Amino acid sequence: MSASTPPTIDPGVNSGSIQAGTGATPPVATVASYPTTPGRFPREAMVCARRQIIKMFRLPELMAFNLLQPLLFILLFAYVFAGAIGGGAEGRDDYREFMMAGFFAQCILFATVSSSATNIAQDMHKGMMDRFRSLPMTRGAVLTGRTIADFVQNVMMLLMMIVMALIVGWRIHEGFLKALAGFGVILFLAYSFSWVGAAIGTMVRTPEAAAGVVVILFPLTMLSNALVPPSTLPRVLQHVVNWNPYSATVQSARELFGNEAPASDSWPMQNATLASLGWSVLIILVFRTIAVRRYRGVSR
């Protein structure tokens, strides 16, 4: 090449990049700019949700076990413990109606937190989250898609439990629309706790550790009005029960179903639906923030 010959420009790279060997700066890789549009986040979240839902249906045995467990609990309490807890054969039917709202919420919460935490921990452990982080997508879309998939699973589980509850004698007494609102309150609380599972899944090191997170739900569900009236507990525990977000949801569902709801002079129990919705929104705001920040920062 003579001194007057201009350096060759490679059309496949940036216009300011000169071919190697000419003494100029080598080409620099540039990252394309992806505009942020209002509809981008929902689309990405739904794509991630679709991935999880397809994965769920490709493992029918796992889904079957998740659906079978709450059905067994309903049968166990309806026919084995209902007479003893309800005060004899006369109180068995009354206790079935009393317990059912608590069982709906309890079984869904346990399945949601465990599933969300375990699946996210598996993706983190296998490097799937690192691949997602390398893609030009909204950071919260992956976790949001996971929680949407959990919501779909919760709806399926709740439908199965409703059928079983009707078989064992549970009934609604306030009409279809109010009952639908009661189920909505339960599902909204379950969705909020899917963010608790998401936050835990980004914190633990292994999927095995994530599988044990349901232990933290036992105090929440046992210190509540789900299985026994709060008036049977010590006075100090009654305050804990009344301000438990799980108790507010169960109380709201009972009122909307027309089932027996224990009387209480505390504000959350007198305004159970409002308290339940408020608790659910607060849980989503707190744990979604934690989960997304952990997702951004892990493995950097």
Side-chain angles (χ1 to χ4, degrees):
M1 180 183 296
S2 63
S4 61
T5 303
T8 303
I9 305 297
D10 186 353
V13 297
N14 238 339
S15 58
S17 301
I18 310 301
Q19 279 189 335
T22 62
T25 305
V28 178
T30 59
V31 178
S33 176
Y34 290 84
T36 301
T37 59
R40 178 181 168 189
F41 175 79
R43 287 197 302 269
E44 293 172 348
M46 292 308 298
V47 168
C48 295
R50 181 174 177 270
R51 167 185 174 265
Q52 295 295 337
I53 294 172
I54 291 174
K55 179 180 177 182
M56 179 173 60
F57 280 101
R58 286 181 177 176
L59 295 172
E61 64 277 9
L62 181 60
M63 187 168 63
F65 284 127
N66 287 335
L67 296 175
L68 181 62
Q69 182 178 355
L71 301 184
L72 293 177
F73 270 107
I74 290 175
L75 291 173
L76 180 66
F77 273 80
Y79 291 108
V80 178
F81 297 119
I85 301 176
E90 296 80 8
R92 183 181 293 115
D93 293 337
D94 292 336
Y95 182 74
R96 285 174 184 169
E97 289 204 352
F98 174 84
M99 77 171 193
M100 207 54 67
F103 261 83
F104 290 155
Q106 179 178 349
C107 293
I108 289 179
L109 254 62
F110 273 65
T112 298
V113 175
S114 177
S115 173
S116 182
T118 303
N119 281 281
I120 289 176
Q122 285 178 346
D123 285 344
M124 300 284 287
H125 188 67
K126 294 178 180 179
M128 184 62 68
M129 289 300 185
D130 292 330
R131 296 183 181 181
F132 284 137
R133 276 193 293 265
S134 68
L135 297 175
M137 60 189 301
T138 311
R139 293 307 183 196
V142 175
L143 300 180
T144 301
R146 172 71 253 179
T147 58
I148 293 173
D150 289 334
F151 183 81
V152 173
Q153 177 178 288
N154 291 339
V155 171
M156 296 172 56
M157 184 181 299
L158 184 59
L159 290 174
M160 295 291 293
M161 286 192 291
I162 291 171
V163 173
M164 182 58 68
L166 292 173
I167 291 174
V168 301
W170 173 75
R171 296 293 183 268
I172 58 175
H173 307 283
E174 293 292 333
F176 176 75
L177 292 180
K178 282 193 174 182
L180 198 62
F183 296 132
V185 169
I186 293 174
L187 289 171
F188 190 40
L189 181 73
Y191 178 76
S192 70
F193 269 85
S194 67
W195 283 107
V196 176
I200 294 173
T202 60
M203 294 178 184
V204 297
R205 296 182 180 180
T206 63
E208 291 77 13
V213 300
V214 293
V215 176
I216 67 175
L217 293 179
F218 274 104
L220 182 74
T221 56
M222 294 297 105
L223 292 177
S224 70
N225 59 359
L227 301 180
V228 296
S231 58
T232 62
L233 302 175
R235 188 66 181 173
V236 175
L237 291 182
Q238 289 183 29
H239 293 294
V240 176
V241 169
N242 290 334
W243 286 92
N244 185 338
Y246 177 69
S247 294
T249 300
V250 173
Q251 183 82 354
S252 173
R254 282 178 179 146
E255 292 174 356
L256 292 169
F257 295 153
N259 300 149
E260 179 186 357
S264 175
D265 58 355
S266 65
W267 185 89
M269 296 298 102
Q270 292 182 346
N271 304 272
T273 300
L274 182 60
S276 174
L277 296 176
W279 277 117
S280 298
V281 170
L282 180 62
I283 292 170
I284 291 173
L285 291 176
V286 172
F287 285 95
R288 186 186 188 282
T289 301
I290 295 173
V292 173
R293 287 184 176 179
R294 287 287 305 174
Y295 171 77
R296 287 174 176 173
V298 174
S299 300
R300 279 192 172 182

